[in-house]
Amino acid sequence: MNYTLRPTATGHDYAAELNPEQYAAVTTDARHALVIAGAGSGKTRTLTYRVARLLECGVAPWRILLLTFTNKAAREMLERVAALAGMGAGQIWGGTFHSVANRILRLHATRLGYQPGFTILDGDDQRALFRALTKQFAGKTAKSERFPKAEVLQGLHSLAINTGRSWQLTLRTDYAQLDKHEEAIGKIFDAYHTRKMESNAMDFDDLLTNLLKLLQEHEDIRADLQGRFLHVLVDEYQDTNILQASIVGLLAGGQQTSLMVVGDDAQSIYSWRGADVDHIFRFSDTYPDAEVFKIETNYRSVPSILEISNAAISNNTRQFAKVLRPARDNGRMKPAVIPAPDNRTEARFIAQRIDELMAAGIAGKDIAVLYRAHFHSMDVQMELTRNHIPYRITSGLRFFEQAHIKDVVAWLRLLSNPRDEVAFRRIVSTFPRVGEATATKLWQAWYSVADAWLTAHPDSACITAPHSEVFAKMTVPAAARPHWGGFLASMDALHPADQVLTPAELVHKVQNFMDAHLRASYENYEERLEDISQLTRSLSDAADLDAFLSQVALLSEDDTQTEVDPDCVTLSTIHQAKGLEWKVVFVIFLGEGLFPHYRVIQSSDPVAVEEELRLFYVALTRAEDQLYLSYPRYNGHSYDSQFCPPSRFLTALPPELYELWNL
Ligand code: ATP
Ligand code: MG
């Protein structure tokens, strides 16, 4: 018999905490629903409350799938859900498309021809592989004719996949200047695919394409997942690409499944990664039964900030008109526009103003400095440091992209997947005197032994016998010989016969093996050691090596800066600030050529300029109470200093909407 438990009564008054439009969306029984509304109107809040309500109504958490733009956003929403619904939201499937894809593929990748325990190649690994392949396939051309760099190949490859087009077509439309290298690029891409399969590895794009393939081609798995998920919810839907939209369609394809997507077309800022705002526009065509909810009240910003944001975005022609009324009372001040004589003075202004605000009682965590590109933050970083103002920086080198962290992780990856070429190369290239050519020879020898062993032991995902025995007869090039024995012994030490080491223990051991290399390679050796220790501290909850490695790979997607001081100012690119809010926001480097970027201006592509303007709109709409817009008239002091007129986005603003501050 089925025994139904009554929903837990938390006494939560949804109607009081939501406006009627939000409430209708939270409680709808529609199978397909679209919430389309402007910035700060409570779209994310609506999704959060809906999840809480579903739990209260007795939906099992593991039958809810919540797709968000960052893993951090998912965590925050689920914490909020737990607080609202008064129960654990732990079993909800929540996270980025990539993390959910990883989770599903961990279970089923063998159906696509992968071995158990595949590894994930992040951006840096991809570039390393492209560099090696360029050497191999473009040979002399690579040196003589400005052959595209690894980053460019990576961009082309990824854009093609994320827009669902062939790379040849993408090359012609978006990378026309590479036309003459088409043949060599083709060879490189083919080899790239083969190498990934041989290494039993997927890059980030593979996570999406493979999930889609799995869902399309394996009916049993599709049916299983469609039966599992009763509710699929997607935030920031305006930034989904074709792959993601198709995945959503399939995961939410069950007869019983409801789908709710929320978004704002005016905040679509990822077309350079293949996002297509048309998915949100066409939602009602795809699902003719879709119920559409519009929220027309902004809860985030004071009216003066809302007005200036609305004025800014009104210059875009291609957008759906939205009414957005302020819910808040008038704030104390108009947004400020600050022309600074140069970048250093601009930074001095920011630091001094932040200092005053903090002295007046505003917490550091309520203040953000936003910019279009990471390097725009350099002066502000220095000035804040000089003034002892703590900050965290969410752009720039992320924790797991740092070389020394990757060095350590490579050992663990090789341990878990002996076919991992990128990891192997990374390790052996830390041996003195081992260059590209020796590494290749070593890899070939290693691979044939490893592959033979794994084929002979089909039940093992990794080599379980001592490495020193398995690889005893392998031919080792002279340059690598002095270190080879030590390397094999170290690998043996990582899996002693009688016990399985935890990820933290493994990291600790590897750190010892690598000590000499780290000392010799990095001048700030001490700091880097701290980073490595932090690695074990942050991820100590990982159950086993595979879980640990997936976490590491997926976290490099996200911001994982360790926050030294919880009350610190945020420095972030605008892209990374999407969906977030602060009491005080500074947008810096608003000079023509800096923002919009001069390349966009030169391309004179109206679509690209409109995307820059949407980015500007995203920046402005992050602010709750105070907004400062500044630019340096000169960027730099020496012979290469650039003169910057104010950005066209600033000059287009009606002067009555802001106050000019002269320094
Ligand atoms: P964005 O477009 O930037 O992602 P959003 O539409 O997702 O914004 P939220 O972040 O959900 O907006 O909400 C903006 C702010 O307004 C939050 O601080 C939220 O708590 C608050 N808010 C939203 N709706 C209400 C409401 N009905 N009553 C009180 N506060 C609200
Ligand atoms: Mg939001």
Coordinates of all heavy atoms in Angstrom, one line a residue, residues 262-290:
V262 N 13.3 30.8 -16.3 CA 13.2 32.3 -16.1 C 14.4 33.0 -16.7 O 15.5 32.4 -16.8 CB 13.2 32.6 -14.5 CG1 12.2 31.7 -13.8 CG2 14.5 32.5 -13.9
G263 N 14.1 34.2 -17.1 CA 15.2 34.9 -17.7 C 14.8 36.3 -18.1 O 13.7 36.8 -17.9
D264 N 15.8 37.1 -18.7 CA 15.7 38.4 -19.1 C 16.4 38.6 -20.4 O 17.7 38.5 -20.4 CB 16.2 39.4 -18.0 CG 16.1 40.8 -18.4 OD1 15.6 41.1 -19.5 OD2 16.7 41.7 -17.7
D265 N 15.8 38.8 -21.5 CA 16.5 39.0 -22.8 C 17.5 40.1 -22.7 O 18.5 40.1 -23.4 CB 15.5 39.1 -23.9 CG 14.6 40.3 -23.7 OD1 13.7 40.2 -22.8 OD2 14.7 41.3 -24.4
A266 N 17.2 41.2 -22.0 CA 18.1 42.3 -21.9 C 19.4 42.0 -21.2 O 20.3 42.9 -21.2 CB 17.4 43.5 -21.2
Q267 N 19.5 40.9 -20.6 CA 20.7 40.5 -19.9 C 21.5 39.4 -20.6 O 22.3 38.7 -19.9 CB 20.4 40.1 -18.5 CG 19.9 41.3 -17.6 CD 19.7 40.9 -16.2 OE1 20.7 40.6 -15.5 NE2 18.5 40.8 -15.7
S268 N 21.2 39.2 -21.9 CA 21.9 38.1 -22.5 C 23.3 38.5 -22.9 O 23.4 39.5 -23.7 CB 21.0 37.7 -23.8 OG 21.9 37.2 -24.8
I269 N 24.3 38.0 -22.3 CA 25.7 38.5 -22.5 C 26.7 37.4 -22.8 O 27.9 37.5 -22.7 CB 26.1 39.2 -21.2 CG1 26.0 38.3 -20.0 CG2 25.4 40.5 -21.0 CD1 26.5 39.0 -18.7
Y270 N 26.2 36.2 -23.3 CA 27.1 35.1 -23.5 C 27.1 34.6 -25.0 O 27.4 33.5 -25.2 CB 26.9 34.0 -22.6 CG 27.6 34.2 -21.2 CD1 27.0 34.7 -20.2 CD2 28.9 33.8 -21.1 CE1 27.6 34.9 -19.0 CE2 29.6 33.9 -19.9 CZ 29.0 34.5 -18.8 OH 29.6 34.7 -17.7
S271 N 26.7 35.5 -25.9 CA 26.6 35.0 -27.3 C 28.0 34.5 -27.8 O 28.1 33.7 -28.6 CB 26.0 36.1 -28.2 OG 27.0 37.1 -28.4
W272 N 29.0 35.1 -27.2 CA 30.4 34.7 -27.6 C 30.7 33.3 -27.2 O 31.7 32.7 -27.6 CB 31.4 35.7 -27.1 CG 31.3 35.9 -25.6 CD1 30.3 36.7 -25.0 CD2 32.1 35.3 -24.5 NE1 30.5 36.6 -23.6 CE2 31.6 35.8 -23.3 CE3 33.2 34.5 -24.5 CZ2 32.1 35.5 -22.1 CZ3 33.7 34.2 -23.3 CH2 33.2 34.6 -22.1
R273 N 29.8 32.7 -26.4 CA 30.0 31.3 -26.0 C 28.9 30.5 -26.6 O 28.6 29.4 -26.2 CB 30.0 31.1 -24.5 CG 31.3 31.4 -23.9 CD 31.3 30.5 -22.6 NE 32.2 31.1 -21.6 CZ 32.0 31.0 -20.3 NH1 30.9 30.3 -19.9 NH2 32.8 31.5 -19.5
G274 N 28.2 31.1 -27.6 CA 27.2 30.3 -28.3 C 25.8 30.5 -27.7 O 24.8 29.8 -28.2
A275 N 25.6 31.3 -26.7 CA 24.2 31.5 -26.1 C 23.4 32.2 -27.2 O 23.9 33.0 -27.9 CB 24.3 32.3 -24.9
D276 N 22.1 31.8 -27.2 CA 21.2 32.4 -28.2 C 19.9 32.8 -27.5 O 19.2 32.0 -27.1 CB 21.0 31.3 -29.3 CG 20.1 31.9 -30.4 OD1 19.6 33.0 -30.3 OD2 20.0 31.2 -31.4
V277 N 19.7 34.1 -27.5 CA 18.6 34.7 -26.8 C 17.3 34.2 -27.4 O 16.2 34.3 -26.8 CB 18.7 36.2 -26.7 CG1 18.6 36.8 -28.0 CG2 17.8 36.8 -25.7
D278 N 17.4 33.7 -28.6 CA 16.1 33.3 -29.3 C 15.5 32.1 -28.5 O 14.3 31.9 -28.7 CB 16.4 32.8 -30.7 CG 16.3 34.0 -31.7 OD1 15.9 35.1 -31.2 OD2 16.6 33.8 -32.9
H279 N 16.2 31.3 -27.8 CA 15.6 30.2 -27.1 C 14.5 30.7 -26.1 O 13.5 30.1 -25.9 CB 16.6 29.4 -26.3 CG 17.6 28.8 -27.2 ND1 19.0 28.8 -27.0 CD2 17.4 28.0 -28.3 CE1 19.6 28.2 -28.0 NE2 18.7 27.7 -28.8
I280 N 14.8 31.8 -25.5 CA 13.8 32.4 -24.6 C 12.6 32.9 -25.4 O 11.4 32.8 -25.0 CB 14.4 33.3 -23.6 CG1 13.5 33.4 -22.3 CG2 14.6 34.7 -24.1 CD1 14.2 34.0 -21.1
F281 N 12.9 33.6 -26.5 CA 11.8 34.1 -27.3 C 10.9 33.0 -27.9 O 9.7 33.2 -28.0 CB 12.3 35.0 -28.4 CG 13.0 36.3 -28.0 CD1 14.1 36.8 -28.6 CD2 12.5 37.0 -26.9 CE1 14.6 38.0 -28.2 CE2 13.0 38.1 -26.4 CZ 14.1 38.7 -27.1
R282 N 11.6 32.0 -28.3 CA 10.8 30.9 -28.9 C 10.2 29.9 -28.0 O 9.6 28.9 -28.4 CB 11.7 30.2 -29.9 CG 12.0 31.0 -31.2 CD 12.5 30.1 -32.3 NE 13.6 29.3 -31.8 CZ 14.9 29.5 -32.2 NH1 15.2 30.4 -33.1 NH2 15.8 28.7 -31.7
F283 N 10.4 30.1 -26.7 CA 9.9 29.1 -25.7 C 8.4 28.8 -25.9 O 8.0 27.7 -25.9 CB 10.1 29.7 -24.3 CG 9.9 28.6 -23.2 CD1 10.8 27.7 -22.9 CD2 8.7 28.6 -22.5 CE1 10.6 26.7 -21.9 CE2 8.4 27.6 -21.5 CZ 9.4 26.7 -21.3
S284 N 7.6 29.9 -26.2 CA 6.2 29.7 -26.4 C 5.9 29.0 -27.7 O 4.8 28.4 -27.8 CB 5.4 31.0 -26.3 OG 5.6 31.6 -25.1
D285 N 6.8 29.1 -28.7 CA 6.5 28.3 -29.9 C 6.8 26.8 -29.7 O 6.1 26.0 -30.1 CB 7.5 28.8 -31.0 CG 7.2 30.3 -31.4 OD1 6.1 30.7 -31.1 OD2 8.1 30.9 -31.9
T286 N 7.9 26.6 -28.9 CA 8.3 25.2 -28.6 C 7.2 24.5 -27.8 O 6.9 23.4 -28.0 CB 9.6 25.2 -27.9 OG1 10.5 26.1 -28.6 CG2 10.2 23.8 -27.9
Y287 N 6.7 25.3 -26.8 CA 5.7 24.8 -25.9 C 4.5 25.6 -26.0 O 4.3 26.6 -25.2 CB 6.2 24.7 -24.5 CG 7.5 24.0 -24.3 CD1 8.7 24.7 -24.2 CD2 7.5 22.6 -24.3 CE1 9.9 24.0 -24.0 CE2 8.7 21.9 -24.2 CZ 9.9 22.6 -24.0 OH 11.1 21.9 -23.9
P288 N 3.6 25.3 -27.0 CA 2.4 26.2 -27.2 C 1.5 26.3 -26.0 O 0.8 27.3 -25.8 CB 1.7 25.6 -28.4 CG 2.7 24.6 -29.0 CD 3.6 24.2 -27.9
D289 N 1.6 25.4 -25.1 CA 0.8 25.4 -23.9 C 1.4 26.3 -22.8 O 0.9 26.4 -21.7 CB 0.5 24.0 -23.3 CG 1.8 23.3 -22.9 OD1 2.9 23.8 -23.3 OD2 1.7 22.4 -22.0
A290 N 2.6 26.9 -23.0 CA 3.3 27.5 -22.0 C 2.6 28.7 -21.4 O 2.0 29.5 -22.1 CB 4.7 28.0 -22.5

